[in-house]
Amino acid sequence: MKNQRLRTLLLCITLSILSPLAALHAENLLVDYYGVVSASSDTNMLKMAQDVFFTQLKSIDGITVDDKRPDLSKASVAVPDFAHTNAAIYFYAEVTDQKNDAGQTVWNCRFNAVTASDGITHSASENYESYYKILVGAKTAIEKVLSDLKSPSPEFASANKSNLAADFKTGVDIESLAGTWGGEPYADKIIILRGGRGFVIFKNGATMNIKISVKKVSIDGKNTNLEISQVGKSNASFFPELPREQALLCAASAPPITWNFSLTSADTLEGIKNTVIQTNNGTEQGTVNSSWTRR
């Protein structure tokens, strides 16, 4: 009888200790770490840097890190594929090297945190003159990127709910579009996330952030009720159908690429793509038919 009471007491004490810890862990921000993206030839430096970033991420309070690096032994050469992940944040670093006026190598590290809820990339960049400087200084830059993402502001949450409510009134459920899509001739895949954000991953390695909104438009006699638009600056790689020289010129002045779609079935979007098209006299802003299908 006494032993049973003792076991019961020990169980209660254990639960009283573990319960707050479990709750604390449950509140942690889940971050998937995808390592370093770089074209630098200094493979040893890149390997050490991506190991350091992982260690520094794990040491930050309030987050739980899952290592999603495709190859632990080396850096990646293209932006990682975030399709198979359920984390709130996808984190990776872009590293480039260049010579300063004194001929010394300077490392530029751009730390990127992609929020799964909206597909927006939050970044911070720092220059380091040596691996030692990276070792002692990178954590501050990483924390800077993640600090505002640990607990979204009430204003953001309220605005997001208002947008979803507005979408519901139109009869279009943007949340139901979440998933992997295909259909762009030069794109490997299109990822639509919950919250009306996503990205297009091109076959040439480029990644375009996109946002999805309810917008009724009539183009060339076709009525559409969804607009998917490019977020951020243009890149020559967003125009793979054009000769490289023309694509570079377009990237400097072209408006964001947009798609105006209708949901013709649960897994099919059909409509018009607004982009730069090639003509006999060069290029001009125009439209082409487009169709996306859920995979």
Side-chain angles (χ1 to χ4, degrees), residues 191-266:
I191 309 297
I192 297 180
L193 305 168
R194 295 190 182 278
R197 297 282 177 164
F199 38 90
V200 178
I201 302 174
F202 291 88
K203 293 177 181 178
N204 58 23
T207 300
M208 176 200 294
N209 288 332
I210 56 175
K211 64 178 180 180
I212 301 92
S213 56
V214 174
K215 186 176 182 179
K216 294 186 177 181
V217 176
S218 180
I219 301 176
D220 296 335
K222 295 182 179 181
N223 296 319
T224 62
N225 53 15
L226 278 175
E227 182 177 87
I228 300 178
S229 57
Q230 168 193 331
V231 175
K233 295 181 179 179
S234 290
N235 185 311
S237 297
F238 295 172
F239 307 98
E241 65 275 22
L242 301 179
R244 183 64 178 174
E245 294 77 10
Q246 292 182 344
L248 288 169
L249 291 174
C250 292
S253 58
I257 297 171
T258 60
W259 293 262
N260 292 98
F261 280 138
S262 291
L263 190 64
T264 57
S265 74

Side-chain angles (χ1 to χ4, degrees), residues 46-85:
L46 296 175
K47 169 64 169 62
M48 292 189 295
Q50 80 165 358
D51 289 343
V52 165
F53 298 155
F54 180 54
T55 301
Q56 291 170 331
L57 269 173
K58 291 196 299 181
S59 69
I60 298 175
D61 293 335
I63 69 172
T64 299
V65 185
D66 192 5
D67 193 350
K68 295 286 187 177
R69 284 177 285 179
D71 191 336
L72 299 181
S73 65
K74 61 182 180 181
S76 300
V77 295
V79 175
D81 180 0
F82 307 124
H84 305 292
T85 181

